[in-house]
Amino acid sequence: MPWPDFTELTFGFAFLRELEQHYVLGGKFPKAPEFISQGAEATKGYDVEVTLDGSTPVFIQLKRSYVLVRNSAREIQDGLYSAPKVYRMNLHKNGKYRQHKALQGLEALGNAVFYVTSQIHTPKEFSDAYSAGTVVSQASAMFAPNEIVLPDDTKDHHVSFKPNDSFGYVYSKEPHQFERKFQSFDSWLPTIGQRARSAKENRQRLEKTVEFLKKKRRPRDPVLQMIRDQPLEAQASILAYFILDAQLTFVKT
């Protein structure tokens, strides 16, 4: 049950870079908390309100999936798949799947929240996808947290899938099949564009998001002290990183 032959950091960088360059209006998206200061606005020609207007805040948790290459894999032995390769995305069990539940809660507030995981194996596959600009469209699989329903919060669970299938499995002792909302990139990207809102609406949504995430920390938590004087967008980004291990970016399609 090998890991793919590239790091999660490498995969995450390639995915976000390609998403920005090829699928975002103007080839560039601003990512909280790296918003320009007031002093830079005159020369840069835009500010945070411009960034928020007509955009979609997107929370992405980047992962690598195990690559099952042998017929002895449980998913094949149990008859779910006839042959390799099968991909397996692990979920964090800590705190009774606290992180997964928080991602589901964030999605339930109306946010765009996604697991993005690899569905390639070798360095050559990764290099070819990077050179061809297909890391996002072919080398990645997207899942919404709320489509991954855990049968319990005490046992080990993971998601098993094959690229472009219309279904996946929440797998523990017994597999539970679920319908994939985003079986391909072509079904994923349009949903982001459909969520675009005005600056006012995005700010209201981020305020609710920040309050939701703050409740996941203790009152004297250092992270809460860290965000005290930060802009709203930076607060959301920092909290998402420390609580959800997720990246917040703003996409304009």
Side-chain angles (χ1 to χ4, degrees):
M1 184 170 54
W3 285 107
D5 293 325
F6 47 84
T7 67
E8 188 172 284
L9 179 61
T10 299
F11 172 72
F13 168 80
F15 178 90
L16 291 172
R17 181 176 185 271
E18 187 176 298
L19 180 67
E20 178 182 40
Q21 289 185 331
H22 299 310
Y23 302 104
V24 173
L25 184 65
K28 184 177 182 179
F29 52 64
K31 293 183 293 183
E34 298 174 345
F35 284 86
I36 60 173
S37 67
Q38 290 183 347
E41 289 172 9
T43 56
K44 294 288 187 179
Y46 61 89
D47 58 18
V48 172
E49 288 303 313
V50 173
T51 296
L52 290 178
D53 192 41
S55 68
T56 306
V58 182
F59 295 87
I60 298 175
Q61 186 177 103
L62 293 154
K63 287 180 168 288
R64 288 185 306 163
S65 286
Y66 280 127
V67 189
L68 308 178
V69 296
R70 297 181 180 178
N71 287 320
S72 58
R74 288 171 56 193
E75 286 85 340
I76 296 174
Q77 290 293 306
D78 288 348
L80 304 185
Y81 299 100
S82 60
K85 296 178 181 177
V86 178
Y87 294 87
R88 183 183 289 181
M89 182 182 78
N90 284 331
L91 302 171
H92 294 298
K93 186 181 177 182
N94 293 345
K96 295 185 175 181
Y97 293 93
R98 177 177 58 246
Q99 186 183 82
H100 180 66
K101 292 175 182 177
L103 287 166
Q104 288 179 319
L106 196 62
E107 184 185 359
L109 286 176
N111 290 290
V113 186
F114 304 101
Y115 287 111
V116 173
T117 190
S118 59
Q119 56 180 15
I120 52 175
H121 184 191
T122 68
K124 185 179 186 307
E125 288 176 320
F126 182 84
S127 180
D128 288 348
Y130 187 83
S131 297
T134 58
V135 172
V136 173
S137 61
Q138 296 182 25
S140 307
M142 297 80 174
F143 296 94
N146 278 317
E147 68 184 328
I148 303 173
V149 180
L150 305 182
D152 59 71
D153 59 13
T154 57
K155 299 177 183 177
D156 292 322
H157 306 296
H158 61 265
V159 173
S160 300
F161 68 96
K162 279 197 170 188
N164 302 318
D165 274 355
S166 61
F167 60 89
Y169 292 93
V170 175
Y171 210 108
S172 48
K173 186 176 182 180
E174 300 291 338
H176 300 269
Q177 189 180 96
F178 66 92
E179 182 179 353
R180 291 177 62 178
K181 298 177 182 177
F182 313 107
Q183 60 190 23
S184 69
F185 169 76
D186 290 339
S187 63
W188 179 71
L189 187 63
T191 66
I192 296 177
Q194 292 167 5
R195 292 171 176 264
R197 302 183 180 92
S198 69
K200 180 179 179 181
E201 290 171 322
N202 276 331
R203 186 166 290 281
Q204 290 173 341
R205 183 60 53 83
L206 285 176
E207 288 173 351
K208 293 180 181 179
T209 296
V210 167
E211 290 306 310
F212 170 80
L213 293 174
K214 280 182 176 179
K215 293 178 182 178
K216 302 297 179 180
R217 311 296 291 195
R218 295 178 180 178
R220 296 186 179 180
D221 191 289
V223 174
L224 298 184
Q225 303 298 318
M226 182 189 305
I227 67 172
R228 178 176 296 174
D229 299 320
Q230 295 290 332
L232 179 66
E233 298 78 10
Q235 291 184 45
S237 178
I238 294 168
L239 289 168
Y241 178 80
F242 281 103
I243 297 173
L244 307 174
D245 190 24
Q247 304 294 321
L248 167 62
T249 191
F250 291 84
V251 176
K252 291 187 178 183
T253 56

